[in-house]
Amino acid sequence: MNVIWTFLLWLLSFEILSSGLSANVSSRPAVVNVGAIFTLDSIIGRVAKIAIEEAVKDVNGNSSVLHGTKLAVTIHNSNCSGFLGMVGALRLMETDAIAIIGPQSSVVAHNILYVANELKTPFLSFAATDPSLSSLQFPYFIRTTQSDLHQMTAIAEIVDYYGWREVIVIFLDDDYGRNGLSALNDALAARRCRVFYKEGIPPGDVSRSGIMDILIKIAMMESRIIVLHAYPAAGLMVFSIARYLGMMDDGYAWISTDWLSSVLDSSSPLHSETKIDVMQGVLVLRQHTADSEKKRAFSARWNQLTGGSIGLNSYALYAYDTVWLVAHAIDSFFNQGGVISFSNDSRLQSLGSVLRPEAMRIFDGGPLLVKNILQSDFVGLTGHVKFNPDKDLIFPAYDIINIIGTGVHQIGYWSNYSGLSTEPPETLYSRPPNRSSANRHLYSVVWPGKTVSKPRGWAFPNNGKQLRIGVPIRVSYQEFVSQVPGTNTFKGFCIDVFTASVNLLPYAVPYQFIPYGNGHENPSYTELVNLITTGFFDGVVGDIAIVTNRTNIVDFTMPFAASGLVVVVPLKKLSTGSWAFLRPFSAAMWGVSALFFLLIGIVIWILEHRTNDEFRGPPKKQLITILWFSFSTLFFAQKENTMSTLGRIVLLLWLFVVLIINSSYTANLTSILTVQKLYSPIGGIESLKKGDEPIGYPVGSFAEHYLTEEIGISKSRVRALGSQEEFAMALQRDPKKGGVVAVVDERPYVELFLSSQCKFRIAGQAFTKRGWGFAFPRDSPLAIDLSTAILSLSENGDLQRIHDKWLTKSACSSENTEIETDLLELKSFWGLYLLCGIACIIALLIYFVQIVRKYRKSVAAESISDQQGTQHSRCLWTILSLMDEKKDQSRSDAKRRKTDRSFSDYDEENDLGRDSKRRELQISSEHASI
C-alpha cells in the first residue's frame, strides 16, 4: 500500500512540474542547444560557418570538456539586416537555446540585444566591434573579439607617429561606422590631432555615383590622410574610384580598418578577387592573433577543408574560440550545480499568438552562465582568452600591414600594452610597459605612388583657389610693410621674408595679398588677426606681434624678427654743476654708506672701551670720538689706535670696504666731470609706472593693452601717436603742453626711428620678450612648413641680408642706442657691506660672551639674596658696569717693568765692558810710548 502511495505522489509531482510555469531538464542533459546568427554570404560569415562547425566537432569529440553532453549549434542567416536578425533571434529563442553565438553585424546587435536582456540569454559576438555595445545597457552581450575602441586608438597612434595632425574619415553611416568614428575622434583628440572632415556612406546598396561625389569633394580639400571604415563592398568601391580620380598617387596616405584585412586574408587568388592593384600603399590593420603550434595546425587543417577556395582570417579564429568559450562556460555551469531551465514571461503572453510568444522563455541560468563566460581562462587559437573587468578580451593588439605589389608586408604591431612596435606583443608582455615616443618603431612603408617618402599629410587642392593673405596698410615705418601705389602688390622687410619663405616650400602656394586699413592711420592688428577666425582671411602677413590673446585664436609661424616693448625718451646733456660730486652714488648708496660709517664707529667703541684709554672719558668726549673715528676712516686718517684683537679685525675689513668705495667713487666722478654725458630722468618702465606724465604709443599697437591692462597705467595717461614725425614732436614738447614724457613701442620700430632721430634714446631694457610671425588659422600645416622655411633663411644668412636691405641705416650709428645710468647702485656693493656686517656681528657676539663669563665669575664671589625683581635689575647693572669698567693692566704693567729692567741691566753690563776695554787700551798705549 505504501509503495502505491509513493508511486502516486511521484506521478503527481511529475505532472505538476511538467505542466507548471517552468520546465526543467536534468543538470547534465544529453544535448545543449546553442544558436548562431550571422550573415552566411559575407566573407566573415563564410569563414565563421566553417570555423564554428569544426569547433563543434572538436568539442563533442573531446570528452573532457562537456563530459558526455553534446553541443548542438543551430545557425541562422541574418542577411546583415536588423529586422531579419531580430526575427532570427526570436526563432532561436523558441528552441530553448541557452546561448547565441553572434550577431556578426553591430547594427543587428543593437536590435536583438534587447531580446537578450529580456530572456537573459548570453550573446557572444566574434565580429560586432562597435564600442558602444560594451556599455552597461547590454549586460548579456559578450564581445569575443577586439573592440573598435582599441582599433581606433591604434590608428590615432599611427597618425601621431608619422606627425600628421588632421585626417579625413570615410565611414559607413550606421551604428558600426558612426560609433567607430566617435572612438577615433576621441583617440585623435587625446593626441592633439583631429578629424578634419568626415563623410558617411549610406548603408545598403551603394551607388558608384554617390561614392564618386564623395571622393571628388574630398579631393578638393587640403588634407591627404584618409581613414576608411566601411564594409568590404563599399570599401573596395572606394579604392577603385579613388584610383580613377588620382587619389592613390603620391601625396596621399590611406589607412583602412580591419575589414580590408579580412578580405585580403580570405580572398584567393588575391590579385584577381580584390583587385589589389587599386590599393597599393594602403596601411591596413588586422586583429593580432598569437603564433602558436595550435594555430599552425588548424591553418593546415583549414587548407584541407576548403581546398584553398577561401583563406583563414582572424574572424574565423575568434569564431572557433567562441565555441570553445561557450563549451568551457557550460561545463563550469554544470559543475557549479547549474540546471538548464526556462520560465515563461508573463509579459509575452499578452502579445497574441502571431509570433508564438509562448514559445520564448526566460533562461533561468542566464546570469550564472554569463558569470562563467566572463571568468573563462584558457588558451585558444587566438591566444590567451580571458576578459578584463570591462568585459573586453585582455591584451588587445593589431598587426599593421602595408599592401605592396601582389601581397602584403607587415611593418609592425600595436598593442594596448606597449603601443607601436616591431616586436610581437607576446614578447613585450613580460617587460614593464613603456609607451614613450622614443620606443615607438615601425618598419618602412611603400606609400601610394610607390614612394618611400612619408606623405606630408596635406596639399593645396588644384582647384584654382588662391589664399587670401591680409596685409596691413602702414602709415609709419613703411620699410616693414608698404603698398605699391596704384597696385595690389606690397613691398618691405616682412613681405620679402614671406616671399623667400614660400619659395623654399616643396610645393606651390597660390596666394594673393589683400590690403587692410584706410591708409590714413595704422590699422588695428588685433582686428586684422580676428578676421582669420571668421574665414575672411586665410592668413595675415606683416609685422604681427606674437602676443597671448592672438595665439589663443590663430597659429603663428616661428618669429622671423625679435621684438619687445622698449621706452624711448628725449635726451638732455648732463651738466657738471656745483652738486656734481653727489652724482656718482645713488641716494640709497649714500644712505647705507653713512649708516655703516656710524655703525663701525659704534662697534669699535664697544670693543675698545674697556682696554683703550683713547675710547674712554666723559660721554661728550666719547660721542665725539665715535663720530671722528667713524668718518676719519674714509680718508684712512684715524688717530686712535685699536688695541683689541676683535677691534683690529673689524677695522681691517672696514678699511678694505672703504678702499673699494673710494676707488669706485673717484673713477665715476672723474668720468662725470671729464666726459660729456646724455641724460634722461626716465630710467625705464619702472620710472614711468611711478610718475603721472603722459605716455605715447603707436596707433594700432598692442602696447596700449599692455600698458593699461598688464602694467596698470591709467588710460588717461596714454596717448596714441600716428607717425614718426608725431613721435619726435611729442617727445620734444613739454608734457604739460601736449607732449609726452616717453614713447613705448616695439624694438624694431624704435631702432629704425632712432637711426634718423639722434635726439632720443632707449631708456632701460626691453620689458617684454616677443617676436613677429605670420598668422594662419588654428592647426594650419602652412604655419609649420613656413616655420621650417624661416629657420632655413636664418641659417643660410638670407634673413640677415633681407634685414640689412631694408632696416640698416647709419645716421646715428656712432652714438649709443641705450641710455646707461652713471649712478653706482647699492646692489653693486651689497656683498662688501654684508661681509662687513657679519664681521661686526661675530665680533660683538664674542665680546658679549667674554662679558657674560666675567659676570658669572663676579657672581660666584658674591652672595646675592635680593628678591627676584631686584636680582634682575642688579644683573643688568652689573653687566653694564663690567662693560664700562677699565680692564686691569697691573699684570701687563709689571711685565713691562720687568722687561724694562732686564734691558737696563743689559745696557749697564755693556757699558762696564766698554769701560774696561778702554782702560786696557790706554795702558797698552802708555807702555808703547815709554
Side-chain angles (χ1 to χ4, degrees), residues 770-792:
R770 303 182 187 274
W772 289 352
F774 305 132
F776 294 94
R778 296 299 299 269
D779 301 321
S780 172
L782 193 58
I784 300 175
D785 289 352
L786 279 178
S787 295
T788 305
I790 291 172
L791 184 61
S792 299

Side-chain angles (χ1 to χ4, degrees), residues 659-681:
L659 176 65
I660 300 300
I661 292 176
N662 279 339
S663 301
S664 302
Y665 176 85
T666 304
N668 202 22
L669 182 61
T670 302
S671 175
I672 292 174
L673 296 178
T674 57
V675 180
Q676 184 64 51
K677 295 289 184 179
L678 298 176
Y679 166 75
S680 173

Side-chain angles (χ1 to χ4, degrees), residues 472-478 481 516-525 543 697-701 721-724 727 745 749:
I473 302 177
R474 291 200 60 90
V475 176
S476 59
Y477 303 117
Q478 294 190 357
V481 177
Y516 179 79
N518 55 23
H520 302 293
E521 61 180 8
N522 293 333
S524 172
Y525 281 26
D543 46 341
Y697 72 92
V699 175
S701 172
L721 303 174
S723 63
Q724 296 167 260
F727 291 173
D745 201 356
Y749 302 135

Side-chain angles (χ1 to χ4, degrees), residues 11 72 82 140 173 217 269 340 385 405 462 532 591 612 640 642 650 666-667 692 708 730 744 748 793 809 839 852:
L11 183 62
Y140 288 91
D173 196 7
K217 187 186 302 182
I340 297 178
V385 179
N462 188 18
I532 297 177
N612 195 337
E640 294 80 7
T642 53
V650 171
T666 304
D692 57 359
T708 58
V744 176
L793 290 177
K809 297 183 179 181
V852 171

Side-chain angles (χ1 to χ4, degrees), residues 921-930:
L921 290 174
Q922 290 175 356
I923 294 172
S924 62
S925 63
E926 289 175 356
H927 284 292
S929 63
I930 294 174

